[in-house]
């Protein structure tokens, strides 16, 4: 749940005034995938205790006075969690992409970027000076075509071989709800001797039987990924981001990254929140709470998605993606759905142009392990009413006539 503070605008969005009304609402709009964004929990208690020893902030960069025991522990823990040699952490997730990609590629390098990649990836690649070629979303045939042409033709004007070819993809795409076809990307990377950069902002913690992200989800070898990137703002209920991979890679970034050299280091209580939540996910706290949250999120995701399909609305994405975009198409219907759900005490996010194509407006639901079945049933009932009122049941697919059973055995893979 979340408390929504109501505000109004007298001048069409230029300024806002709070009315003083506070509305307890079901939160279907945040990235709290595993439910660790809690005000009363072991994570919160540990973070508060950290304040007495380390204070609120270091007020310095990692290269000067901004490194303490928590930063070292967090980086070692992150590397162990991902199954790689080393990791480096940063205080801001957006900057993790935008300020580190220029340290990995430059003029003379080629980047193959998925067309749905996040703005932080796009900014980082533009700052790098590398040549960018965009392939169709999750389309492996188009990616292979561009790779083959790039290798055959070489650099523009000179025809020289590329110094480096980097493929950049995301684990879960936050506007599409789709999961990258990682095994196919790895196969192409190996075939054409390229490097692979995987942004796991929305997949780390939320995917895989052990919560280790898209690599865990597909059962791939972590050594096949050259650069792991992720954020701590979603599944870990904290802030910041990380880059992980070989020790050689991390040593290079630690020396050359502007985010490491100049930005203030991560706040100690923020780092402690990540350490505690990550240890719970890994089971190092001595309980099954982490694996239970991962399973709960999977149950919630599949149940919610199947019920929406049965309802007759159109949703995008993979059945295991906790990001669920519901297509409303018309721009005017975005506001209608958001306001309609808000009136029923459900907080959601409406997304339109330019974040999406002009005629593909959508409502983005984000599921959490903290949601109960009763909360999901209430939300689905309200969505069904609004879909009937606004004419959102566009789907022409056959609807399952059987009741969807929450947490049924056929909802889970045999490996679970």
């Amino acid at each position: 749940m979340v408390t929504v503070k109501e505000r109004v605008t007298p001048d069409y969005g230029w300024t806002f005034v709070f009315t003083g009304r506070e509305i307890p609402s079901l939160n279907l709009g945040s990235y709290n995938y595993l439910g660790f964004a809690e005000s009363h929990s072991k994570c919160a208690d540990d973070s508060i205790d950290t304040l007495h020893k380390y204070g609120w902030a270091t007020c310095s960069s990692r290269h000067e006075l901004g490194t303490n025991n928590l930063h070292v522990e967090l980086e070692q823990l992150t590397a162990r969690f991902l199954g790689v040699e080393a990791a480096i952490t940063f205080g801001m997730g957006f900057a993790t992409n935008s300020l580190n990609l220029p340290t990995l590629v430059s003029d003379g390098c080629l980047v193959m970027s998925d067309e749905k990649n996040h703005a932080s990836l796009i900014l980082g690649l533009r700052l790098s000076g590398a040549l960018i070629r965009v392939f169709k979303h999750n389309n492996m045939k188009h990616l292979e075509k561009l790779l083959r042409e790039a290798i055959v033709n070489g650099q523009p004007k000179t025809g020289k071989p590329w110094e480096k070819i980097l493929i950049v993809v995301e684990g879960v795409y936050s506007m599409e709800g789709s999961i990258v076809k990682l095994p196919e990307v790895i196969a192409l990377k190996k075939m054409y001797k390229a490097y692979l950069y995987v942004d796991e902002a929305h997949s780390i913690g939320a995917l895989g039987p052990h919560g280790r992200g898209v690599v865990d989800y597909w059962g791939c070898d972590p050594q096949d990924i050259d650069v792991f990137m992720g954020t701590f703002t979603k599944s870990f209920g904290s802030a910041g981001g990380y880059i992980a991979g070989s020790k050689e890679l991390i040593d290079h970034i630690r020396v050359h990254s502007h985010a490491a050299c100049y930005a203030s280091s991560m706040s100690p209580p923020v780092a402690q929140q990540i350490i505690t939540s990550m240890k719970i996910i890994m089971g190092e706290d001595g309980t099954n709470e982490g694996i239970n949250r991962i399973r709960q999120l999977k149950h919630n995701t599949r149940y919610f998605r199947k019920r929406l399909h049965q309802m007759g609305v159109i949703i995008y994405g993979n059945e295991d993606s906790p990001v669920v975009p519901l297509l409303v198409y018309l721009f005017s219907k975005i506001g209608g759905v958001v306001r309609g759900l808000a009136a029923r005490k459900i907080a959601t996010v409406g997304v339109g142009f330019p974040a999406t194509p002009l005629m593909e407006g959508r409502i983005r639901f984000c599921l959490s392990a903290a949601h109960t079945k009763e909360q999901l049933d209430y939300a689905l009932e309200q969505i069904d009413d609004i879909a009937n009122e606004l004419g959102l049941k566009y789907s022409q697919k056959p609807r399952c006539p059987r009741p969807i059973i929450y947490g049924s055995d056929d909802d889970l893979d045999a490996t679970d």
Side-chain angles (χ1 to χ4, degrees):
M1 300 293 292
V2 65
T3 300
V4 177
K5 295 187 175 183
E6 184 181 64
R7 63 181 187 173
V8 295
T9 174
D11 48 17
Y12 302 98
W14 286 103
T15 61
F16 290 88
V17 179
F18 286 103
T19 65
R21 184 182 176 211
E22 296 186 354
I23 310 164
S25 300
L26 175 60
N27 185 4
L28 284 176
S30 73
Y31 300 134
N32 185 25
Y33 296 133
L34 292 180
F36 282 116
E38 302 167 301
S39 56
H40 301 284
S41 65
K42 178 172 173 51
C43 291
D45 293 341
D46 287 354
S47 296
I48 292 170
D49 291 341
T50 300
L51 288 172
H52 303 303
K53 183 176 182 180
Y54 296 100
W56 288 99
T58 63
C59 303
S60 177
S61 71
R62 290 290 303 275
H63 282 201
E64 294 176 318
L65 304 175
T67 297
N68 59 38
N69 294 338
L70 290 178
H71 298 113
V72 176
E73 181 184 359
L74 175 57
E75 290 177 347
Q76 293 174 348
L77 184 65
T78 301
R80 193 165 77 249
F81 180 56
L82 296 171
V84 296
E85 291 180 353
I88 181 172
T89 58
F90 305 91
M92 182 182 181
F94 192 101
T96 304
N97 274 329
S98 59
L99 295 182
N100 284 310
L101 277 166
T103 70
L104 302 177
V105 288
S106 58
D107 185 32
C109 298
L110 174 66
V111 177
M112 297 295 181
S113 176
D114 190 290
E115 66 176 338
K116 300 297 184 181
N117 276 344
H118 190 263
S120 59
L121 291 168
I122 296 170
L123 175 60
L125 293 175
R126 287 176 176 173
L127 291 174
S128 73
L131 183 66
I132 307 167
R133 288 185 181 158
V134 179
F135 64 92
K136 296 176 183 177
H137 177 53
N138 241 351
N139 189 321
M140 298 302 108
K141 289 185 178 179
H142 190 222
L143 172 59
E144 182 173 15
K145 177 176 179 292
L146 293 181
L147 283 168
R148 188 186 302 115
E149 290 176 352
I151 292 172
V152 169
N153 297 326
Q155 297 185 38
K157 298 181 180 178
T158 64
K160 292 182 179 179
W162 297 99
E163 295 183 14
K164 190 186 301 177
I165 298 178
L166 179 68
I167 302 171
V168 179
V169 295
E170 294 185 40
V172 171
Y173 292 85
S174 61
M175 290 298 172
E176 308 301 314
S178 52
I179 297 176
V180 66
K181 299 174 182 177
L182 189 61
E184 297 178 45
V185 177
I186 290 174
L188 289 176
K189 169 231 168 182
K190 291 181 176 180
M191 182 183 299
Y192 292 97
K193 309 298 182 185
Y195 295 92
L196 178 56
Y197 184 109
V198 180
D199 179 337
E200 292 224 73
H202 290 270
S203 56
I204 191 66
L207 288 184
H210 307 97
R212 290 185 169 91
V214 71
V215 175
D216 187 28
Y217 177 79
W218 289 110
C220 298
D221 185 351
Q223 305 308 315
D224 289 333
I225 313 298
D226 298 289
V227 187
F228 284 90
M229 178 272 168
T231 58
F232 300 120
T233 54
K234 282 79 176 178
S235 295
F236 303 95
S238 191
Y242 64 83
I243 298 286
S246 67
K247 186 178 184 301
E248 183 181 7
L249 167 73
I250 301 308
D251 288 345
H252 171 82
I253 291 176
R254 204 178 296 279
V255 171
H256 294 92
S257 168
H258 286 185
C261 296
Y262 303 116
S264 292
S265 65
M266 185 181 292
S267 170
V270 169
Q272 184 61 60
Q273 163 78 18
I274 305 164
I275 291 170
T276 303
S277 58
M278 190 177 291
K279 285 184 176 179
I280 292 173
I281 295 172
M282 297 171 71
E284 293 189 2
D285 64 331
T287 72
N288 293 324
E289 183 182 348
I291 198 69
N292 289 338
R293 288 183 186 234
I294 293 167
R295 290 178 64 86
Q296 178 79 7
L297 176 62
K298 190 169 185 178
H299 281 305
N300 288 350
T301 297
R302 292 195 173 184
Y303 177 73
F304 194 77
R305 281 182 167 275
K306 287 185 177 183
R307 284 286 304 276
L308 288 177
H309 278 303
Q310 190 178 51
M311 196 182 296
V313 295
I314 294 177
I315 59 174
Y316 278 174
N318 186 285
E319 66 174 356
D320 290 318
S321 168
V323 180
V324 187
L326 186 154
L327 274 290
V328 300
Y329 295 102
L330 299 178
F331 204 88
S332 57
K333 290 189 177 183
I334 299 175
V337 176
V338 171
R339 286 191 291 269
L341 289 173
R344 293 165 167 83
K345 297 186 177 180
I346 299 174
T348 58
V349 175
V351 187
F353 183 84
T356 70
L358 184 60
M359 293 302 292
E360 289 188 25
R362 63 200 65 178
I363 308 299
R364 186 178 60 182
F365 301 111
C366 294
L367 300 176
S368 171
H371 289 136
T372 65
K373 179 181 181 296
E374 290 71 26
Q375 289 175 325
L376 296 182
D377 285 338
Y378 172 74
L380 289 162
E381 181 182 344
Q382 305 310 313
I383 294 168
D384 191 33
D385 286 344
I386 292 176
N388 287 327
E389 290 177 14
L390 299 181
L392 304 179
K393 297 184 177 181
Y394 300 110
S395 178
Q396 297 181 12
K397 291 184 177 180
R399 303 184 192 180
C400 177
R402 296 179 290 105
I404 305 300
I405 307 300
Y406 179 86
S408 59
D409 291 338
D410 61 344
D411 268 354
L412 293 175
D413 296 333
T415 56
D416 287 342

